[in-house]
Structures are given as structure tokens and as C-alpha cells.
Amino acid sequence: MGYPAAVLARFDAPPNAGAVAPGPGTVLRGQAGGTGEGVSVAFEFRVADGRIVAGAFRAFGCPYTIAACSLVAERLAGREARALAEFKPLGLADELELPAARRGRLLTIEDALRSCWRAWDNKGLAASNVSRSDP
Amino acid sequence: MGYPAAVLARFDAPPNAGAVAPGPGTVLRGQAGGTGEGVSVAFEFRVADGRIVAGAFRAFGCPYTIAACSLVAERLAGREARALAEFKPLGLADELELPAARRGRLLTIEDALRSCWRAWDNKGLAASNVSRSDP
Amino acid sequence: MTATLYMDYAASTPVDPAVAKAMADVLAGEAGTGNPAATHWAGQAAGQVVEQARVRVAALIGASPGEIVFTSGATEADNLAVIGAARFRRQLGRHIVTTLIEHPAVLESCRALEAEGFEVSYLPPDNQGILAAELVAAALRPDTILVSVAHVNNELGVVQPVAAIGEVCRRHGALLHVDAAQSAGRLPVDVRAQCIDLLALSAHKMYGPKGVGALFLDRERCRRVEPLFHGGGQERGLRPGTLPTHQLAGLGVAAELALQRLDSDVPAILALRERLEQGLLQVPGVQLNGHVTQRSCHIVNVSVDGVEGESLRCGLRDIALSSGSACAAESGEPSPVLRTLGRPDHVAQASLRFSLGRTSTMADVEASVAAFTATVARLRALAPA
Amino acid sequence: MTATLYMDYAASTPVDPAVAKAMADVLAGEAGTGNPAATHWAGQAAGQVVEQARVRVAALIGASPGEIVFTSGATEADNLAVIGAARFRRQLGRHIVTTLIEHPAVLESCRALEAEGFEVSYLPPDNQGILAAELVAAALRPDTILVSVAHVNNELGVVQPVAAIGEVCRRHGALLHVDAAQSAGRLPVDVRAQCIDLLALSAHKMYGPKGVGALFLDRERCRRVEPLFHGGGQERGLRPGTLPTHQLAGLGVAAELALQRLDSDVPAILALRERLEQGLLQVPGVQLNGHVTQRSCHIVNVSVDGVEGESLRCGLRDIALSSGSACAAESGEPSPVLRTLGRPDHVAQASLRFSLGRTSTMADVEASVAAFTATVARLRALAPA
Ligand SMILES: Cc1ncc(COP(=O)(O)O)c(C=O)c1O
Ligand SMILES: Cc1ncc(COP(=O)(O)O)c(C=O)c1O
């Protein structure tokens, strides 16, 4: 099975799988896809002081999907919350040596991130204790 | 090459090949076939006192043809001269394990024997010193 | 997991050492050098090896040596049977009956025949993968010339009621072709008792070499088929090309061994399969595909709920197994065979075929069950709620 | 004579020990077990062997690996080229050009195409067996889609001016198929320099195993042909069936060895051939068949006056040699190739093809000359005046 080593490593022991550890700030959740489509991904991000302090994922999907989710959760940690709106998972395609036919999976991940962002947006409007940068 | 052992033995060192040894009596010669037909056989028989005392052959043909000629020359030795008219080489087909498609070769041999017989017949009419049975 | 496990005997088997030895012996000697079509000593030595192989292959299936035509494998033999018989009998009718779950060698042959003006009925098996003889009987028409059914399905392992189908065909006058690639050497095959007119087999499914197989043609009911290609007239003109002496020696020894070992291999493999099946089905949400009992000793095919198929296979990548036929492997497409059985696509997609063989061990089975159980649990835990 | 001599390298060659070793190694290991179509480790190990073989075969003929399709031998490759290309290009035209002296694999393919509505021009070579490129040029028509010529004729050993014929075809737009069964590994072959679009070769003519060969398809001019049979999609769907890993390993090593040894093999074999030829032609009434110089190093074909062919062969039966192609052997029929060259039937019938190879020795040659001389003398002495 011709998966790149980087994909296999994340698939076998995916960093950031599961839930974010408890801590200060807000936990945002977002989901996209469905098992009927062959790919379903869910993210959790803990945001404190306008920054993503931790990310975690769950995924039902191919090894590329699992590796990509793991990588996305990792890459977003430390960024400003608005990255949830702006991050382009398609930019990871080369790093993951993703076959062209699989690029759709990254769009599903993007959808899930956007759904986290909308959660943040809603929360931001509701809770003034959270500082946020412009959307 | 699936030739029967008996055929191969006669092919490799054919008894009675060549010419009959000099001696008393009359030498009859007969020929049939032609190299253009793929088979050409010639016999010599020395006849003395109405009996065939020696036979020899020459042949251009397949190993079955050579073996058959050798066998015919051998079988006719000791018989009455009229055997040249009566002998049926086809009777050797089984002994030689001759494929059906090759039976024609035995007919060519028969033709050559008949031609010896005609020579005898002619000689017989010409030379009264030779005793002969009824044709 | 670090050690690798081979659980893909339905895709191909290791070559038996006795087979490899027979092949090496031929390759090293004059029988290996001579062209079996040549009439000289070297050709004759080769020809004897070829004819001995013919005798052995015939014995495995209860045929006569003269009814065996050697091919490059079951794919070619299936094509020669289906396309060759159809083209040869075109004047008698243009209707062919087969099933939806045949191997591509048969299915694609049928599709090619459709393009030539033949009509093909693809019969659906029941949801356990079995094709009832009655279904065949109902599908036969006055212009049906050929029925083609695999004895053992390569994905499910289900065993079709070939003898009953054969009787139906005999009554009707249609020829029955049986793809025995998975069954030859794995369960008893008897072309006479089972009313089989054409039969394809492949050496590499029975511990023989890849790239060689045979087609049986019943001497009375199907003397000739139209060849797929043309040349020097070998194999009665039905299959030209220099005969691969060492390959045939291997096929012959494999066939002989298969016959000798059938009585001991089958129960041994069955015992492994039972433990494997029980271990796999113990995991919740795992379903057996194919008939529970009408199944060859060597195949267990399961579908797994709640995990994605490709990740399941990747998680078990140290185990050589298949998600269907090796040919269609890794396309990611759900198996058409499982679709036909009515499995939803996402379930069909998470399906695995474990297949066992003569050199499988209980330790292999236990390790497979353990790896399967752990991987399914891990992937399910990873999935969104 | 008691010792036997092998002088039939044009019919088949002994398998090189390095080839046999490579095959045995594959058979004994996981690359031999796995189905190359499977995606697991065992399949991948097999796949690597297959792809390495593809690289080696491509290198032998100056092609790219992606242009090589593996087959069961040159018979199948010739059919796939001729029938496959013709059927695939049927819309472009239905005229094919070949020669009267092709191997049955090509001739019979052409005959089959005639039955499908194609028209075939069978060009006569000159009386030395050579087909002038001008003759091909003159035979081309607007609807000519394919020209098929053997590089080296299997009976005479004559070498056709393939590059010149290739240029003619390129200018016209017809495809050129070259049957290189006798030439691959025996003289330099370069598909680009020789303007070859399709090329067939066979392992067992170059110290590799029987039952495996290859078809080259130029990636630009001939990407596809219609397959001869159907199945699991192997070899881009052009040639389905489980790839025979060990056979391909053998083919690959044979191709690599052939390329490495070309520069040393050819002069060595040529020296043997020259002595053989001189020894045979020294016997009165013996005539060389085929062009004196435009001939491969390995074949000497002679006709003998005044002896019957079958007895000549029988007298030389301890020498493995052929009276033409091994396929047509022993039918007793004079070779159609020699007839085409204008030899009278009874002369054509007494013809022998001696063919030499890498393991031939000068002692073999001397013994052959002596046996030939003695047998001809004996049989002539036996013939009626
Ligand atoms: C049922 C069935 N038919 C045909 C084939 C094709 O056989 P081969 O690999 O010899 O071409 C296979 C296996 O690949 C098979 O399982
Ligand atoms: C010129 C030529 N073409 C084709 C073939 C057929 O090759 P194979 O024996 O691999 O089928 C041969 C030899 O038999 C040959 O000499």
C-alpha cells in the first residue's frame, strides 16, 4: 500500500486524536461529512485570548484523511482563532503526497474548520469576555 | 522421432542394401517410383532353379521405405520366383508399425517386385535353361 | 505488529517446494531446452513432461488427458471457454447465461460477446451469494448456448450447486462452463459427475506456478471452440504457442499433490477457518458475507460496520489480505459482488477477505483475529460520535 | 553416433543458469507468493520484480518500460500486435501488408483477419529471402493500417531491412510490427532507430523460460490495441491475467544478459556458423537457403540434393535440429518458406536448419559436419542410380 511514510506515521499513532484536554478558554466544535460519504471529520479547538491553544480531531475516513486531520489540528495550534476561517487545508496536499482524486477530503476538513469558526463567531457575539480579532 | 525400433535398426544398417553378390542363376531387376515422388525403390533378385537365392535393394525414401525394402528382400530369399508376382508388401504394415498415411510406399515396393517378375517372365520365355513354375 | 502474515491464498498461493523442485529439474535438463513441438530427442523429452502433466491435471478433475488444453492461466482459460465456445456455436444461438458475481475473466468476456451481438443474462445470486439451479433453468431459452458459473466465488468463497446446474444444462442442451480457479484442488471436482462441459483452472491457486492453467473441454459435448489466437497449431490448434514445459511440470505436480492432499488439507484448513470466523464475528458490528455453510474451506469475507474500509486495510497492512479480488484491489470502489448481495456501499467498502491455505497456521489465525479486533476498536474510537 | 548434439537454438534455447536461479529465488520467496496485482506487502514485492523485468526488457530494445506489455510468448504477442492493432484501427483502413515467409503466429493472425473483412497483401521476398523496402512501399495503399515483418526469419535466419521498411511505414502513416522472436538478444534491436511501432519477443529464444514474452507498443504511435482476451485489467487492460512473477524475473534476467553479452556472443556464434556452413556446403549438392550475408549469426539452412528429407533427419536424429519451424515439424510437408524461395518440393523437403547458440562449441559443429557428411553419403549410396 503506497501511503507516504508521513501519512502512515500519523495514521498509526495520530497526534491530537480525540478531545482537547480541559483548560481555560472556549472549546469550539465543528463537523463535516458523513460516514455515508466515506469521510466524516470533527474538530475541537480550545481558544483562549483569541488564540487556538489546542486542537483535536476525530475522523472516519481513509488514512490520508486521518493524517490530514492530525496535521491540521497541529498546525492550527498557536494561531489566531481567525485561522479557522482562513486556513486552507488544500495547502497540505503536497506535504501529504495526496493523490489528486483525494483532494475532496481536504475540502471536507475545510468545511469542518469553517464550522468551528461559525461556532466561534456565534460565541464571540454572545460572550464579550473573549477578545477577538476582526472576522 | 517415433520410428519403431525395428524400423530404426534396418534404417541404420539395412541388410540386403546394394547389389546381390555374384553367383549362379539369373539376376532380375525391377524399379518403381521416382525421387520427384519422394520414393524410388529398386530391387535385384538372383534366381536359380526357380528359386530366389538372394535379394537386394536400393531406396530413396523415408526410413519406413528403407526398412520395408530391406525386409522384403530378406523375406523373398528362398521362395519360388513366382513370389515376385504374389508377395504382398502390404502384409508387412503391422510388423513395421507403418502409419496409415505411408501405406502407399508398400504399393510402390509391390510395383518394383512386379517389375522384377516381368523381367523374369521375359527372361523365362527367352531362356529355356531356367526352370519355372506356372505364372 | 512487526511480523507479516499471509492471509491471501485466494489471490495466490506459495509454490510448493516439490513443485519448485520439479520446475527447476526441468529447467536444468534437456526436457527444459527442447521445444515440445520438436520431434528430436530434446523435443520428445519435453513432450513427455507435457503429457505427464496433462495426465495429472486430467486426474484432478476426473477428465481424460486428451480433454485438457493448456493455457497461460484461468483468465485465458475462462476467455477461451466463454468467448471460444460462443463464437464457435454462434449459429446455434446467441444467448448466454452467467451470474452477476463472476470473476472479471468471465464477466468481461461476456461483455465483449455482447459487443459481438450475443445476449447475456446476468443472474443475481440470493443474498447469501448462492445461485439456485432453478434460476438457471428459468433463464434458459431455446437460443441459450452456454452457461458460465464459478464453482467457488473468489470473493465470498460460496460454493455453487454446479452438479444441479449441470443437470439443468444437459436437459436443455446448453454447455456448462465452470470457472474452477478457486475450487480445483480445494474441493472435489468431477467433470463427469457434475455434468461440466468446460472447466478452467489455474496452477497458482493450488501451490503451482503463476502463468499457467488449463481448460477442460468435454470430448463428446465440446470438442472445439474458436481459438483466441493463432499460430503453430499446438494444443490441437486451440491454443498455439510454445508449450512452457517447466510450467506444465509445475502444474502437473501441483495437481497431483492437490489430489493426494485433498482429504487432509480440507479439514485442516476448515478448522483454521472456523476459529478465524468465530474470532472475527465476535467483534460487534461484523457480518459474514456469503452463505454460512455452502462455502469453501479457505475463504472468510466479513463486512465491518462503523469503520472506513481503506483505513481498516491500512491498519491491517502487515496482514496480506484482500478486499475482494486482487485484480480490482485498492481502487477504493466497493466490491460489485457485495453490492449484488445487497450490502450498502459504505458497509461493502469496509469488507475484508481473509483466505487460508495449506501453509496457514493457528498462530496466523490468532494473530489475525487479534490485529483485526484491535484495529477495528482503534478506528471506531477515532471516529466522530 | 551415441552422444547427442543440440543444434536447435532457433526452436528454443537452454535456460541460462542465472535465469533459472533468479526464477527459483522468486519462487521460494514472498515475491513469488504474492499476486502482483495485490496491494499488500507480498503483492508489492511481486510488483517490484515485475517492474524490474519491464525495465530490463525495455532496455534490450531501446524502449521505455511503460511501453512493454507482458504476454505468454511471441505467439501471443504477435497476435496481440497484428489482430489487436488491426481491430483497434479498423475505422482507419482494412489493409495489412506482410510477407509470405512469416511465422504462423503472424500468418495465421492475418488469415483470421481476412475472415473478419480485412485484406492482406502477402509479399514475396526475393529468392534469397529478403524483402526489399521498396516492395513494401509499392504495396502500401491509403487504407493500409499495418505492416508486419519478422526481423529475422525463423527458418532461414535472413535479416530483413527493418529500419528501411520502418521509414517507409512512417512516411505513409502505417504501423510497423516487427516479430523479433529470433532477433531479440541475437542482434541489436532499437525500436526508435528502426522506426518500429510494435515488436514481439519471447524469452525462450534468448536463454529465458518458455511461456513468457513481451509486446512493445510505441507510446506515441500505438498506445492501444484491442486485447485478445479480458479480465482483471492487468497490463493496462491489454493483457489480463495474473502476472507470472517468476517467469518475468527470468525474462528480465535473460534480457539483461542478452544485452550484456551481445558483443561477445555474436562473433563467437558467427565463427561457429562459418565453420558449420563451410563444412556443410563442402558436401556436393548442398545448397545454402537464404541470403549469404544478410543473415543472423545463429542459423544455417541447407537443402540437400539426392537424399530424402525424412531419412536425412532420421540419419541425423542424434542431432537436435529442425527442418523448418518446430511447429510444423515432421509433417513431412516441404517448408512453405523454401517453396516461396523457389526451391523444388523434393529439394525443399530435404532441408535442414542447424541453429547455434551461446552454449554451442566447435566440437558440436565438427561432429555435426561429420555426421551430416557421412549420412548424406550413406543415403546417396543407398539410392537407386
Ligand atoms: C474465480 C477466478 N477466476 C479466474 C481467475 C483468474 O486466474 P488467473 O490468475 O490464472 O488468470 C481467478 C484468480 O485470479 C479467480 O479467482
Ligand atoms: C519468428 C518467430 N515468431 C514467433 C514465434 C513464436 O514464439 P513463442 O514460441 O514464444 O510462442 C517463434 C518461435 O516459435 C518464432 O521463431
Side-chain angles (χ1 to χ4, degrees):
Chain A
M1 300 189 203
Y3 300 107
V7 170
L8 283 180
R10 285 193 184 268
F11 171 80
D12 285 338
N16 312 310
V20 290
T26 309
V27 175
L28 306 174
R29 296 194 172 82
Q31 197 276 338
T35 55
E37 302 164 30
V39 52
S40 166
V41 299
F43 286 96
E44 285 187 10
F45 292 100
R46 174 177 302 284
V47 177
D49 293 333
R51 291 206 165 263
I52 299 168
V53 295
F57 79 97
R58 290 183 188 276
F60 171 101
C62 72
Y64 288 105
T65 304
I66 291 170
C69 286
S70 165
L71 197 59
V72 164
E74 183 175 301
R75 291 286 157 86
L76 284 172
R79 301 239 202 147
E80 288 187 11
R82 64 181 305 164
L84 294 173
E86 290 166 2
F87 188 82
K88 295 274 181 234
L90 271 178
L92 303 174
D94 285 352
E95 184 172 348
L96 293 167
E97 298 174 41
L98 192 75
R102 310 284 180 106
R103 307 223 154 189
R105 321 264 158 132
L106 296 179
L107 298 178
T108 305
I109 292 175
E110 185 170 321
D111 286 349
L113 296 181
R114 298 300 178 262
S115 135
C116 293
W117 171 250
R118 281 193 303 277
W120 169 238
D121 226 25
N122 295 340
K123 286 208 166 71
L125 293 170
S128 57
N129 67 324
V130 176
S131 81
R132 43 185 294 258
S133 45
D134 259 345
Chain B
M1 301 190 203
Y3 300 106
V7 169
L8 283 179
R10 285 194 184 265
F11 171 81
D12 286 339
N16 313 310
V20 290
T26 309
V27 174
L28 308 175
R29 296 196 171 81
Q31 199 274 339
T35 56
E37 304 163 30
V39 52
S40 166
V41 299
F43 285 95
E44 285 186 11
F45 291 99
R46 173 177 303 284
V47 176
D49 292 334
R51 292 205 165 264
I52 299 168
V53 294
F57 77 98
R58 291 182 188 276
F60 172 100
C62 72
Y64 288 105
T65 305
I66 292 170
C69 287
S70 166
L71 197 58
V72 164
E74 183 175 300
R75 290 285 157 87
L76 285 172
R79 301 238 202 148
E80 290 187 8
R82 66 182 303 169
L84 294 172
E86 291 166 2
F87 189 80
K88 295 272 180 238
L90 272 178
L92 302 174
D94 286 350
E95 184 172 350
L96 293 167
E97 298 174 41
L98 192 75
R102 310 286 178 103
R103 306 222 153 188
R105 321 266 158 130
L106 296 179
L107 298 177
T108 305
I109 292 175
E110 186 170 322
D111 286 350
L113 297 182
R114 298 299 178 261
S115 134
C116 293
W117 170 250
R118 280 193 302 278
W120 168 239
D121 225 23
N122 296 339
K123 285 207 170 72
L125 292 172
S128 58
N129 68 324
V130 176
S131 83
R132 40 185 297 259
S133 49
D134 260 342
Chain C
M1 232 187 313
T2 50
T4 54
L5 296 173
Y6 193 77
M7 302 289 270
D8 204 14
Y9 288 80
S12 198
T13 55
V15 170
D16 191 284
V19 169
K21 165 120 186 17
M23 294 172 67
D25 287 351
V26 169
L27 283 179
E30 64 190 35
T33 298
N35 189 318
T39 52
H40 49 61
W41 49 269
Q44 283 177 352
Q48 275 161 21
V49 172
V50 169
E51 295 317 314
Q52 185 183 36
R54 214 184 291 280
V55 168
R56 287 170 167 171
V57 169
L60 179 63
I61 58 171
S64 302
E67 298 176 312
I68 303 297
V69 167
F70 291 124
T71 68
S72 67
T75 294
E76 190 190 332
D78 278 331
N79 275 263
L80 186 53
V82 174
I83 296 183
R87 286 184 185 156
F88 191 73
R89 310 192 134 220
R90 152 182 294 142
Q91 300 313 328
L92 301 176
R94 307 217 168 185
H95 181 237
I96 294 163
V97 172
T98 188
T99 86
L100 279 168
I101 60 168
E102 294 306 297
H103 187 273
V106 167
L107 276 185
E108 297 302 320
S109 296
C110 286
R111 298 235 183 277
L113 286 173
E114 287 180 301
E116 292 179 23
F118 289 86
E119 204 186 318
V120 183
S121 299
Y122 301 91
L123 302 183
D126 66 22
N127 64 5
Q128 307 212 75
I130 302 291
L131 180 74
E134 294 69 42
L135 234 68
V136 175
L140 291 176
R141 310 188 320 204
D143 62 339
T144 307
I145 50 173
L146 179 70
V147 173
S148 180
V149 177
H151 191 188
V152 167
N153 177 274
N154 55 300
E155 292 195 37
L156 307 171
V158 292
V159 181
Q160 303 299 351
V162 163
I165 294 171
E167 272 179 42
V168 165
C169 293
R170 286 275 150 109
R171 239 176 285 133
H172 174 280
L175 292 179
L176 173 62
H177 168 59
V178 169
D179 177 346
Q182 291 293 340
S183 65
R186 283 170 171 145
L187 42 157
V189 175
D190 183 327
V191 290
R192 310 276 181 241
Q194 294 174 303
C195 300
I196 296 170
D197 301 311
L198 298 135
L199 179 143
L201 58 80
S202 188
H204 78 99
K205 309 283 190 188
M206 50 183 202
Y207 311 93
K210 294 176 180 62
V212 64
L215 177 64
F216 155 81
L217 299 104
D218 184 89
R219 97 163 72 67
E220 251 135 52
R221 298 183 29 99
C222 185
R223 276 199 76 74
R224 278 204 74 79
V225 295
E226 206 171 293
L228 297 170
F229 50 92
H230 313 276
Q234 291 92 342
E235 299 296 87
R236 296 190 268 140
L238 296 178
R239 206 292 183 171
T242 298
L243 284 164
T245 322
H246 66 291
Q247 293 275 90
L248 297 173
L251 168 59
V253 172
E256 194 177 47
L257 275 177
L259 191 57
Q260 281 168 5
R261 299 195 44 148
L262 200 58
D263 289 345
S264 55
D265 276 357
V266 173
I269 296 173
L270 202 57
L272 298 175
R273 196 199 75 186
E274 274 164 9
R275 166 59 193 136
L276 176 61
E277 209 167 301
Q278 181 240 334
L280 299 176
L281 294 176
Q282 211 164 275
V283 177
V286 174
Q287 232 183 323
L288 181 72
N289 293 315
H291 198 280
V292 183
T293 53
Q294 278 175 243
R295 198 146 42 87
S296 170
C297 58
H298 71 300
I299 292 180
V300 182
N301 188 314
V302 292
S303 288
V304 190
D305 246 6
V307 298
E308 193 274 338
E310 208 180 310
S311 279
L312 179 59
R313 290 194 295 282
C314 183
L316 295 171
R317 67 184 179 277
D318 288 338
I319 309 179
L321 44 70
S322 155
S323 51
S325 69
C327 321
E330 201 67 2
S331 67
E333 289 291 305
S335 147
V337 171
L338 294 180
R339 271 190 171 165
T340 301
L341 261 53
R343 298 270 179 270
D345 275 6
H346 67 280
V347 174
Q349 203 257 350
S351 297
L352 298 174
R353 178 188 71 182
F354 293 81
S355 54
L356 299 162
R358 203 183 276 166
T359 38
S360 297
T361 64
M362 194 54 91
D364 295 352
V365 168
E366 295 298 352
S368 297
V369 168
F372 174 82
T373 307
T375 300
V376 170
R378 180 172 89 77
L379 291 175
R380 282 181 179 161
L382 202 60
Chain D
M1 228 187 316
T2 50
T4 53
L5 296 174
Y6 193 77
M7 302 289 270
D8 204 15
Y9 287 79
S12 198
T13 55
V15 170
D16 191 284
V19 169
K21 165 121 188 12
M23 293 172 68
D25 287 350
V26 169
L27 283 180
E30 64 190 34
T33 298
N35 189 318
T39 53
H40 50 62
W41 49 269
Q44 283 178 351
Q48 275 161 20
V49 172
V50 169
E51 295 317 314
Q52 186 184 36
R54 214 184 291 281
V55 168
R56 288 170 167 171
V57 170
L60 178 65
I61 58 170
S64 303
E67 298 176 311
I68 303 298
V69 167
F70 291 123
T71 68
S72 66
T75 293
E76 191 190 332
D78 278 332
N79 275 263
L80 186 52
V82 174
I83 297 183
R87 285 183 186 159
F88 191 73
R89 307 190 136 221
R90 151 184 294 143
Q91 300 311 328
L92 301 176
R94 308 216 168 187
H95 182 238
I96 295 163
V97 172
T98 188
T99 85
L100 279 169
I101 60 168
E102 295 306 297
H103 187 273
V106 168
L107 276 184
E108 297 301 319
S109 296
C110 288
R111 298 236 183 276
L113 286 172
E114 288 181 299
E116 292 178 23
F118 289 87
E119 205 185 318
V120 182
S121 299
Y122 300 92
L123 303 182
D126 66 21
N127 64 5
Q128 307 211 76
I130 303 291
L131 181 74
E134 293 71 39
L135 234 67
V136 175
L140 292 176
R141 310 188 320 202
D143 61 339
T144 307
I145 50 173
L146 179 71
V147 174
S148 180
V149 177
H151 191 189
V152 168
N153 177 275
N154 54 299
E155 292 193 36
L156 306 172
V158 293
V159 181
Q160 303 298 352
V162 162
I165 294 171
E167 271 179 43
V168 164
C169 293
R170 285 275 151 110
R171 240 176 284 132
H172 174 281
L175 293 179
L176 172 62
H177 168 59
V178 169
D179 177 346
Q182 291 294 338
S183 65
R186 282 171 171 144
L187 43 158
V189 176
D190 183 328
V191 290
R192 309 276 180 242
Q194 294 174 302
C195 300
I196 296 170
D197 301 310
L198 298 136
L199 178 142
L201 58 80
S202 189
H204 78 99
K205 308 284 189 187
M206 49 183 202
Y207 312 93
K210 294 175 180 63
V212 64
L215 177 64
F216 154 81
L217 299 103
D218 184 88
R219 97 164 74 66
E220 252 136 53
R221 297 183 28 98
C222 184
R223 275 200 78 72
R224 278 206 73 78
V225 295
E226 207 173 290
L228 298 170
F229 50 93
H230 314 275
Q234 292 92 343
E235 300 297 87
R236 297 190 268 138
L238 296 178
R239 206 294 184 173
T242 298
L243 284 163
T245 321
H246 66 292
Q247 293 276 91
L248 296 173
L251 168 60
V253 172
E256 195 176 46
L257 276 177
L259 190 58
Q260 282 168 5
R261 300 195 43 149
L262 199 58
D263 289 346
S264 55
D265 275 357
V266 173
I269 295 173
L270 202 56
L272 297 176
R273 195 200 75 184
E274 275 164 8
R275 166 59 193 133
L276 176 61
E277 208 167 302
Q278 181 239 335
L280 299 176
L281 294 176
Q282 211 164 274
V283 176
V286 174
Q287 232 184 324
L288 181 71
N289 293 315
H291 197 281
V292 182
T293 55
Q294 278 175 241
R295 198 145 42 86
S296 170
C297 59
H298 70 302
I299 293 179
V300 182
N301 188 314
V302 292
S303 288
V304 190
D305 247 6
V307 298
E308 192 275 337
E310 209 182 310
S311 280
L312 179 59
R313 291 195 294 282
C314 184
L316 295 171
R317 67 185 180 276
D318 289 338
I319 309 179
L321 44 69
S322 155
S323 50
S325 67
C327 321
E330 200 68 0
S331 67
E333 288 293 304
S335 146
V337 170
L338 294 179
R339 272 191 170 167
T340 301
L341 261 53
R343 297 269 180 274
D345 275 6
H346 68 280
V347 173
Q349 203 256 350
S351 297
L352 298 175
R353 178 188 72 182
F354 292 82
S355 55
L356 299 161
R358 202 182 276 167
T359 37
S360 297
T361 65
M362 196 54 92
D364 294 352
V365 168
E366 295 299 352
S368 297
V369 169
F372 174 82
T373 308
T375 300
V376 170
R378 180 172 90 77
L379 291 175
R380 283 182 179 159
L382 202 60

